[in-house]
Amino acid sequence: MKFTGTDNYVATDDLSMAVNAAVTLQRPLLIKGEPGTGKTLLAEEVASAMGKRLIQWHIKSTTKAQQGLYEYDAVSRLRDSQLGDDKVHDIANYIKKGKLWEAFESDEQVVLLIDEIDKADIEFPNDLLVELDRMEFHVYETGEVIKAKHRPIIVITSNNEKELPDAFLRRCFFHFINFPDRETMQRIVEVHYPGIAKNLVQEAMEVFFEVRQIPGLKKKPSTSELIDWLKLLMADDIPDEILKHRDNSKAIPPLYGALLKNEQDVQLLERLAFMHRREMR
């Protein structure tokens, strides 16, 4: 079955090709792109489109690769031994299965999302090389070998916060989600808000792309932020004329808090507006 997007997710031809290529090659799909471009959502929609269960492993700065395999709770076993609990004689009672173990033992193929892998320590990707390559790992405490019943479809996302090791990259199929052009963005908006007034979308997108093109922005507004902004514009029933005839001498767009996420960018737009007012005198 080929992935071509879903009713809830607009996938470009390049992105669809990348997903299908990774599935064919049986390699992890490494997805990079600006925050808010739908990297995490992609895994959910791939699972939905292919009728497969999704297992999500969200990575934090403290996450270790071993946690994806299993964790041995030695502290609980020691406590139970002091209390005379009979279950201490079976070490398996203190093995907590990780997300990879869960994916490997599934009776049907699943989609495994390893989300924001670049948040973890630099050694994290290297520590998973063998497991992702051979689709098996060894449980030292019990002596058993866990092999994947079905090779999962693996989607790995990264925000480019740090470089990933070459040995890890070599084992992945890579795709960078480019920021949507206007046509694609209109399709995305239509998916979220079917039947939305075209004039409002057109004027809102003019402002949105105008803001993104301002040099020096610390954080450019993303797709998800445009969706939030449109929701607010509709909720407050702001007419598209306000956006169309927006006075550049005024500071910033209405409800700007959905688009701008830090004070430096707000101050930048206010300075630009001040300069525009001086030029108009």
Side-chain angles (χ1 to χ4, degrees), residues 68-239:
L69 307 179
Y70 68 93
E71 292 181 274
Y72 169 51
D73 192 351
V75 175
S76 292
R77 192 182 187 199
L78 175 61
R79 184 187 64 242
D80 289 346
S81 68
Q82 293 170 339
L83 296 173
D85 196 321
D86 284 341
K87 72 177 185 179
V88 298
H89 301 297
D90 185 358
I91 197 171
N93 291 323
Y94 303 93
I95 300 292
K96 181 182 177 182
K97 298 177 181 180
K99 297 297 184 180
L100 263 71
W101 190 330
E102 184 182 346
F104 283 7
E105 73 173 2
S106 175
D107 291 330
E108 297 180 350
Q109 187 183 46
V110 300
V111 175
L112 172 64
L113 169 64
I114 304 178
D115 196 28
E116 297 188 334
I117 194 172
D118 52 324
K119 279 188 175 180
D121 184 84
I122 188 63
E123 292 302 321
F124 180 92
N126 280 335
D127 290 342
L128 289 177
L129 287 179
V130 174
E131 289 77 12
L132 294 181
D133 219 16
R134 298 182 181 177
M135 287 287 129
E136 66 178 44
F137 62 90
H138 185 255
V139 182
Y140 297 99
E141 288 78 6
T142 63
E144 62 184 320
V145 175
I146 305 301
K147 295 184 178 182
K149 296 179 181 179
H150 304 277
R151 180 180 285 266
I153 298 171
I154 301 175
V155 178
I156 303 172
T157 70
S158 168
N159 285 324
N160 256 349
E161 290 184 8
K162 60 170 68 83
E163 290 295 322
L164 299 175
D166 288 345
F168 179 80
L169 294 175
R170 192 166 62 246
R171 289 165 168 80
C172 297
F173 189 94
F174 170 75
H175 182 74
F176 184 89
I177 298 182
N178 290 310
F179 195 81
D181 57 24
R182 290 177 185 247
E183 181 183 346
T184 304
M185 188 67 81
Q186 285 180 331
R187 292 167 55 201
I188 293 172
V189 170
E190 184 63 29
V191 164
H192 286 82
Y193 306 120
I196 186 174
K198 292 184 178 180
N199 288 342
L200 176 61
V201 174
Q202 182 178 349
E203 300 305 331
M205 284 180 54
E206 285 294 329
V207 175
F208 174 76
F209 280 102
E210 180 182 302
V211 171
R212 276 187 59 86
Q213 291 171 0
I214 294 175
L217 276 185
K218 187 174 182 180
K219 183 191 180 306
K220 295 180 179 181
S222 67
T223 305
S224 62
E225 286 152 353
L226 172 61
I227 299 301
D228 289 344
W229 189 45
L230 282 169
K231 183 177 182 179
L232 288 174
L233 292 176
M234 290 188 295
D236 284 14
D237 201 22
I238 293 180

Side-chain angles (χ1 to χ4, degrees), residues 248-268:
N248 288 330
S249 65
K250 299 292 176 63
I252 38 186
L255 302 169
Y256 67 86
L259 295 177
L260 304 175
K261 299 301 183 179
N262 58 71
E263 64 278 11
Q264 294 98 319
D265 290 344
V266 174
Q267 291 168 2
L268 173 61

